[in-house]
Amino acid sequence: MSGIGTGYDLAATTYSPDGKVFQTEYAQKAVDGSSTVVGLRCKDGVVLAVEKLIISKLLVEGSNRRIYNVDKHAGAAVAGLSPDGRIIIGRASDESANYKRFYGEHIPGHVLCERVASYVHLFNLYWAFRPFGSTILLATYDQNGPQLHVVDPSGTSYRYYGAAVGKGRQAARNEIEKLKLGEMTCREAVMEVVKILHKVHDEDGKPFEIEVSWICDETNREHQRIPAELLAEAERQAKSALADSDMDD
């Protein structure tokens, strides 16, 4: 990477001669090296799933949260630095509450995404700040239907049918592209997304757990964690499919 050691990476306000902002690129690397996060937009809603390494045998199950409620009609998953992600989630919740207080209705998904992206982008504009080392997958369900947005550390936002970020992003994207998301229900997508996370998990021998949430017609368009029995069934099917694949190889 040109420019390292020459002062171009000391602040987010400095461009290198190649037109790069190294601080923002470093923040993106923090996301790229983190656990895999996947989002799928289906015909009846959105599913979010996160792979979480179990860093200690003494860790209480489920304590390392990566999926949060933003509002009744919105939820988000965090990839990258978890503390940075919590700050962004807090801002998203404030934006949603302020909109509801002022207009008397839930904030539309695209408006919430734009406001969160603008907030994240501010931390790329001032020398006293550093960019957030987190990417947010934002799932919403409003009058325009289910939506999945992704906001990266630069403040850039896109709307997706399926998205994956983190260490196993490329392998997960390859698997997502094989799915017919427009014909799939969220209940079906839960099974598929757990299979994907098991398949792309590349930490040999390291235990991990999966956190999954959805917002769909089945939940009355409210963001919730999936039922424990559904997650258990998805895990069972994923492990079975992985074992069958290993036998075929």
Side-chain angles (χ1 to χ4, degrees):
M1 183 180 293
S2 62
I4 289 182
T6 58
Y8 296 113
D9 61 348
L10 299 180
T13 55
T14 305
Y15 284 99
S16 75
D18 297 331
K20 297 179 178 179
V21 180
F22 288 135
Q23 287 288 320
T24 302
E25 292 192 2
Y26 297 160
Q28 184 61 52
K29 285 186 178 296
V31 174
D32 293 343
S34 73
S35 297
T36 307
V37 180
V38 176
L40 301 178
R41 201 211 81 175
C42 311
K43 66 179 182 180
D44 63 337
V46 182
V47 174
L48 300 174
V50 183
E51 167 205 37
K52 304 186 299 183
L53 292 179
I54 299 176
I55 58 177
S56 170
K57 293 181 180 180
L58 302 178
L59 185 70
V60 176
E61 183 179 355
S63 61
N64 179 25
R65 291 181 58 193
R66 286 276 182 168
I67 297 179
Y68 301 87
N69 286 325
V70 173
D71 203 334
K72 284 186 177 180
H73 75 301
V78 175
L81 302 180
S82 185
D84 284 15
R86 287 199 300 269
I87 298 299
I88 301 173
I89 298 299
R91 178 66 180 214
S93 297
D94 290 343
E95 291 288 354
S96 185
N98 290 338
Y99 190 98
K100 179 69 178 295
R101 188 180 305 113
F102 191 83
Y103 294 103
E105 60 182 21
H106 290 307
I107 186 171
H110 70 280
V111 176
L112 178 60
C113 176
E114 289 171 0
R115 293 189 178 187
V116 171
S118 296
Y119 175 73
V120 171
H121 182 58
L122 285 175
F123 287 77
N124 292 266
L125 300 178
Y126 302 101
W127 68 268
F129 298 146
R130 67 159 174 81
F132 288 110
S134 297
T135 288
I136 303 299
L137 275 66
L138 183 64
T140 59
Y141 201 145
D142 56 26
Q143 63 270 22
N144 297 316
Q147 301 173 45
L148 172 65
H149 293 91
V150 177
V151 181
D152 70 18
S154 70
T156 303
S157 63
Y158 294 101
R159 185 175 171 182
Y160 287 92
Y161 290 105
V165 295
K167 193 177 297 183
R169 62 191 178 282
Q170 192 54 57
R173 288 170 187 167
N174 292 339
E175 296 297 321
I176 292 171
E177 289 172 359
K178 300 175 185 178
L179 302 176
K180 296 181 179 179
L181 295 173
E183 304 174 4
M184 186 176 293
T185 65
C186 280
R187 185 168 283 270
E188 294 168 338
V190 167
M191 302 298 174
E192 294 298 332
V193 77
V194 173
K195 289 179 184 177
I196 289 172
L197 288 180
H198 273 274
K199 189 171 184 178
V200 304
H201 179 68
D202 63 353
E203 300 287 346
D204 292 337
K206 291 187 178 179
F208 70 101
E209 61 182 1
I210 294 177
E211 185 177 3
V212 187
S213 71
W214 59 4
I215 178 170
C216 56
D217 294 336
E218 189 171 336
T219 65
N220 294 319
R221 301 186 178 185
E222 294 185 2
H223 180 253
Q224 301 174 1
R225 282 177 172 75
I226 67 170
E229 59 273 15
L230 179 58
L231 179 57
E233 175 61 20
E235 292 262 23
R236 187 192 65 77
Q237 291 190 19
K239 292 175 182 177
S240 177
L242 198 59
D244 292 342
S245 177
D246 291 341
M247 289 179 64
D248 292 339
D249 293 340

